[in-house]
Amino acid sequence: MLTAIGDIIINIAQQMRSPLSAIQLFAELLRQDLEADSQETVDDILVSVHSLDAVLSNLLSFSQPAKPNLQKVDIVAVLDESLLFAEPVINQQAISLIKGYSHNEIYCHGDLEQLRQVCFNLVLNAIQAMPTGGELRINASYAYEDNAGRYVCIDIEDNGCGIDHEAIDRVFIPFFTTKEGGAGLGLCVVYRVIQAHQGTIQISSNYGHGTIVSMQLPAEQEKERR
């Protein structure tokens, strides 16, 4: 029964991908022909498309978890790509963006598509927590542990509504959500992906004041110098 339900979810999500891609393409073409004032409306459409695509990706990942295809991934480029998708709503909600990382590459050992999904989910969560504006801080850096060697540390911080202390231990549970109309799969999928990468993730939150999501991922191994 559960397998059949999973197959139905996968089929529906995959069928919705094509019209979503068409909407995105036509909206981007339309944007090129509009005046600056009218472009904001198209930006709203594009943000909604990306948000819905993230929901579909979460459904597919939850229903059919994929083993990571590990490769060299520039996490700075992945973070910048997520912020580019979210830029219109960041501007509309008067959110101040602070990048705590340089433009130099920071390489982790991971699955590019899965890490794109993780970063966009977390950026979107942070933005949704600040509907009336706020500050979004993103840090990425290398760090070292005596036993674990080098790894990549990523922090995504907002000063939005925060998470109640009674809910903080349940945020990774499937279908649990604190957002009205939320599917409750985003953080569950994020957790699964990070675990599959042999990484760690922690969430700390001060209700009414903000949330910090901290992730650690294995770094791409440095080649030995001769």
Side-chain angles (χ1 to χ4, degrees):
M1 179 65 176
L2 291 177
T3 302
I5 293 173
D7 290 341
I8 292 171
I9 291 173
I10 292 169
N11 184 262
I12 292 172
Q14 289 176 341
Q15 288 190 43
M16 291 181 67
R17 274 280 169 78
S18 293
L20 263 185
S21 297
I23 292 170
Q24 179 180 347
L25 175 61
F26 292 139
E28 289 172 347
L29 291 173
L30 178 63
R31 191 181 190 281
Q32 297 174 12
D33 297 329
L34 295 176
E35 300 294 332
D37 293 342
S38 301
Q39 287 178 357
E40 292 184 3
T41 302
V42 179
D43 287 339
D44 289 338
I45 295 172
L46 290 171
V47 169
S48 298
V49 167
H50 289 310
S51 298
L52 185 52
D53 187 64
V55 172
L56 294 178
S57 295
N58 291 337
L59 281 170
L60 287 169
S61 298
F62 179 75
S63 303
Q64 194 179 46
K67 184 178 179 180
N69 178 24
L70 300 176
Q71 56 186 296
K72 184 178 181 180
V73 175
D74 180 5
I75 203 67
V76 168
V78 172
L79 288 168
D80 282 343
E81 184 181 78
S82 297
L83 292 170
L84 181 62
F85 287 147
E87 184 177 11
V89 71
I90 288 174
N91 294 334
Q92 288 171 11
Q93 293 180 193
I95 293 173
S96 299
L97 175 62
I98 301 174
K99 294 182 182 181
Y101 55 88
S102 69
H103 291 289
N104 296 326
E105 298 89 348
I106 298 176
Y107 292 108
C108 67
H109 192 58
D111 184 299
L112 176 59
E113 292 304 322
Q114 291 185 6
L115 292 178
R116 279 174 172 164
Q117 184 178 5
V118 163
C119 290
F120 186 66
N121 271 333
L122 295 177
V123 167
L124 195 60
N125 279 354
I127 291 170
Q128 290 173 344
M130 300 182 288
T132 58
E135 190 173 271
L136 173 61
R137 290 179 175 267
I138 301 183
N139 297 310
S141 63
Y142 286 119
Y144 293 84
E145 280 189 3
D146 293 338
N147 297 327
R150 190 172 72 151
Y151 62 95
V152 172
C153 182
I154 306 160
D155 293 330
I156 298 178
E157 178 180 359
D158 68 73
N159 61 352
C161 58
I163 304 171
D164 189 277
H165 72 279
E166 295 180 357
I168 196 72
D169 293 331
R170 303 172 63 194
V171 293
F172 295 126
I173 297 174
F175 305 111
F176 175 79
T177 181
T178 58
K179 295 183 291 187
E180 185 177 350
L185 288 177
L187 285 176
C188 171
V189 169
V190 165
Y191 182 81
R192 284 187 176 183
V193 169
I194 299 302
Q195 289 287 301
H197 280 70
Q198 304 300 310
T200 60
I201 180 169
Q202 301 87 32
I203 294 183
S204 58
S205 187
N206 187 358
Y207 187 64
H209 297 280
T211 301
I212 304 175
V213 180
S214 300
M215 298 178 287
Q216 296 78 39
L217 292 165
E220 182 73 10
Q221 295 300 313
E222 295 177 308
K223 293 183 179 179
E224 293 184 5
R225 296 180 180 177
R226 296 184 179 181

